[in-house]
């Protein structure tokens, strides 16, 4: 086997899947790159180095005799170069950390003096073990040279579900802008009030460029949102009755699970309908993706609240500022805002349990901070300390919302009470004026998600929305679009639903 060495950029590892196929299986170098992008070439998963996660395509279950492709309207424009379109085998590596000395053979390492020798070029490597690293990769997002839906006959519907998040309206705006400006789709609708809106198509809102032009300046969801209300068969029935062939779903984990059910029902019925998901979670808690939209805006808003708590704490002797931010199961907002504000003394997140008393407990740490600085600031994710509250008998009855999420016990006020109990006497004895603990509690939770997006999130929403349209128009379905290693790509829904 010939030894191939590739220099890889760790800032963004973009690969052509076919480039890593052994020579015997590789397409001829003189063969023209296919313009059609129905799915990644079969050989890219048939013995190559990269294990590209396959995304469903409507051609997998629709009647092949009636299946047609159309040139992308963008390909007919004079000033759009062919290089702008995504190639058949373009993919994004899931990981950028590599063993620089590892070869195509799993258990084979280059000798230490390999790069010092002039005789090793193109030498056969005598290595045993399974060939191929089978490294995970995802299909690169972007416009395809050919599409499978006739824009003149296409009808698109957009729905937003679940909790609010900065950028929801920008996503809706840019879906409409891309569908209409770049592809010429003229029938575009917004479904009000989440999944329940599918059951009342007479309430659907026609959306054109003029209607959405200022959406990006508004917080919340112009279309409205809700939790629950999902009826898979009824939703697909409505899509068929209304002639919708492009469905764009914007929502969090419960919404994504609902979209997966819709995509499965569409597949079971053999329908030519693409289901594309733009994931929405202000908590930034989808491990596969670099980030989710709205997160950076939320961190900025949280930082402002932390600064207020810090000012309050500085204004009183032995004061403790406590800020509770959003973060049901993950502490990314708390952690990033705490690090970014540079004034936090303690950050509590759901991923790490904590306790009050004894060595390593938070009480001793806060006492030391207050004695040294005359104040302390805690940044607290809403999901932190839930186990501790239960252990101490402070947890309430388990209640779930319409999306199936367990309603959290309110950690913020409880934490303030517990800390005051433990610090009052110690501070009173340690200070000349006998001051006890002053607590300054700030809860900006809904201020984080109801604001308009900042510039960075607006830009990210544009990229996600446009790439969702590109994938759907190309016939890809049952996917979410997101950034992996700084490149937008298509991830199968089942990996995150």
């Amino acid at each position: 086997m010939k030894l191939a060495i590739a220099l890889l950029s760790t800032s963004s590892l973009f690969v052509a899947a076919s480039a890593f196929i052994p020579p015997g299986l590789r397409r001829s170098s003189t063969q023209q790159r296919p313009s059609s992008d129905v799915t990644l070439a079969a050989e890219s998963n048939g013995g190559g180095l990269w294990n590209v996660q396959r995304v469903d395509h409507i051609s997998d279950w629709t009647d092949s005799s009636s299946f047609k492709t159309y040139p992308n309207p963008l390909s007919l424009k004079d000033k759009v170069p062919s290089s702008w379109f995504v190639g058949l085998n373009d993919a994004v590596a899931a990981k950028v950390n590599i063993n620089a000395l590892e070869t195509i053979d799993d258990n084979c390492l280059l000798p230490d003096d390999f790069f010092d020798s002039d005789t090793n070029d193109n030498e056969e490597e005598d290595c045993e073990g399974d060939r191929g690293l089978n490294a995970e990769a995802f299909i690169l997002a972007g416009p395809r040279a050919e599409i499978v839906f006739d824009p003149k006959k296409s009808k698109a519907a957009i729905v937003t579900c679940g909790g609010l998040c900065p950028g929801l309206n920008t996503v809706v705006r840019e879906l409409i802008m891309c569908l209409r400006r770049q592809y010429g789709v003229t029938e575009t609708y917004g479904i009000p009030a989440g999944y329940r809106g599918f059951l009342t198509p007479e309430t659907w809102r026609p959306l054109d460029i003029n209607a959405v032009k200022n959406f990006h300046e508004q917080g919340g969801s112009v279309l409205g949102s809700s939790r629950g209300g999902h009826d898979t068969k009824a939703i697909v029935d409505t899509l068929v009755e209304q002639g919708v062939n492009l469905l764009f779903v914007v929502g969090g984990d419960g919404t994504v699970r609902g979209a997966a059910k819709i995509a499965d029902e569409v597949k079971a019925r053999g329908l030519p309908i693409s289901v594309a998901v733009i994931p929405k979670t202000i908590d930034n808690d989808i491990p596969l993706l670099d980030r989710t939209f709205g997160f950076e805006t939320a961190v900025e808003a949280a930082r402002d609240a932390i600064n207020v708590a810090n000012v309050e704490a500085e204004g009183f002797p032995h004061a403790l500022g406590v800020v509770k931010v959003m973060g049901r199961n993950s502490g990314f907002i708390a952690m990033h805002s705490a690090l970014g504000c540079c004034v936090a003394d303690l950050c509590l997140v759901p991923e790490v349990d904590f306790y009050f008393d004894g060595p390593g407990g938070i009480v001793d740490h806060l006492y030391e901070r207050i004695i040294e600085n005359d104040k302390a600031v805690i940044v607290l994710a809403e999901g932190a300390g839930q186990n501790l509250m239960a252990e101490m008998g402070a947890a309430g009855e388990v209640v779930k919302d319409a999306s199936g999420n367990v309603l959290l016990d309110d950690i913020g006020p409880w934490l303030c009470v517990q800390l005051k109990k433990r610090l009052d006497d110690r501070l009173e004895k340690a200070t000349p004026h006998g001051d006890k603990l002053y607590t300054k509690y700030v809860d900006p939770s809904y201020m984080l998600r109801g604001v308009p997006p900042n510039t960075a999130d607006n830009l990210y929403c544009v990229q996600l929305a446009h790439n969702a349209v590109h994938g759907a128009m190309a016939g890809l379905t049952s996917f979410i679009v997101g950034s992996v290693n700084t490149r937008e790509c298509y991830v199968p829904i089942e990996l995150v639903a």
Side-chain angles (χ1 to χ4, degrees), residues 404-425:
N405 300 311
V406 175
L407 298 180
L408 300 174
D409 294 304
D410 195 350
I411 181 69
W414 178 81
L415 181 70
C416 291
V417 170
Q418 296 299 320
L419 291 174
K420 186 168 176 59
K421 285 180 181 179
R422 289 165 168 79
L423 288 170
D424 269 353
D425 290 342

Side-chain angles (χ1 to χ4, degrees), residues 44-256:
S44 67
N45 287 324
L49 181 61
W50 298 95
N51 174 26
V52 182
Q53 295 295 316
R54 190 182 186 282
V55 173
D56 284 343
H57 191 276
I58 62 168
S59 63
D60 297 338
W61 54 80
T62 53
D63 184 5
S64 58
S65 62
S66 61
F67 188 79
K68 293 179 61 177
T69 59
Y70 305 85
N72 191 317
L74 295 169
S75 68
L76 305 179
K77 296 182 182 294
D78 294 335
K79 295 184 179 180
V80 177
S82 59
S83 59
W84 193 63
F85 298 99
V86 175
L88 177 64
N89 293 315
D90 293 344
V92 178
K95 296 181 179 179
V96 295
N97 294 330
I98 63 170
N99 183 337
L101 297 182
E102 195 163 17
T103 73
I104 198 169
D105 296 306
D106 271 341
N107 300 320
C108 177
L109 294 179
L110 297 175
D112 293 337
D113 62 347
F114 182 85
F115 293 102
D116 298 328
S117 173
D118 295 329
T119 62
N120 285 316
D121 291 342
N122 298 322
E123 285 185 0
E124 295 279 348
E125 286 295 305
D126 184 17
C127 299
E128 297 181 358
D130 296 333
R131 180 182 56 77
L133 297 177
N134 203 33
E136 189 176 36
F138 301 102
I139 297 176
L140 181 68
R144 272 56 181 161
E146 291 186 2
I147 57 178
V148 303
F149 292 116
D150 183 351
K152 296 178 181 178
K153 299 178 181 178
S154 293
K155 188 173 183 178
I158 304 166
V159 64
T160 61
C161 306
L164 301 181
C165 178
L168 270 174
N169 293 324
T170 303
V171 170
V172 174
R173 178 189 192 271
E174 293 305 318
L175 287 170
I176 298 299
M177 291 293 186
C178 189
L179 284 164
R180 286 180 168 264
R181 284 183 172 175
Q182 297 190 27
Y183 286 93
V185 177
T186 57
E187 287 196 83
T188 50
Y189 293 85
I191 299 174
Y195 280 133
R196 66 182 64 175
F198 281 98
L199 306 182
T200 54
E202 65 276 6
T203 65
W204 292 10
R205 294 180 54 181
L207 298 176
D208 57 19
I209 291 174
N210 188 59
V212 303
K213 63 181 180 181
N214 295 322
F215 274 20
H216 63 293
E217 299 175 351
Q218 305 175 52
S221 173
V222 175
L223 295 181
S225 186
S226 66
R227 297 188 185 277
H230 188 278
D231 185 335
T232 304
K233 294 185 182 299
I235 289 173
V236 176
D237 287 343
T238 302
L239 294 176
V240 174
E241 292 167 2
Q242 298 300 314
V244 173
N245 60 340
L246 300 166
L247 175 61
F248 300 95
V249 180
V250 191
D253 50 0
T255 304
V256 173

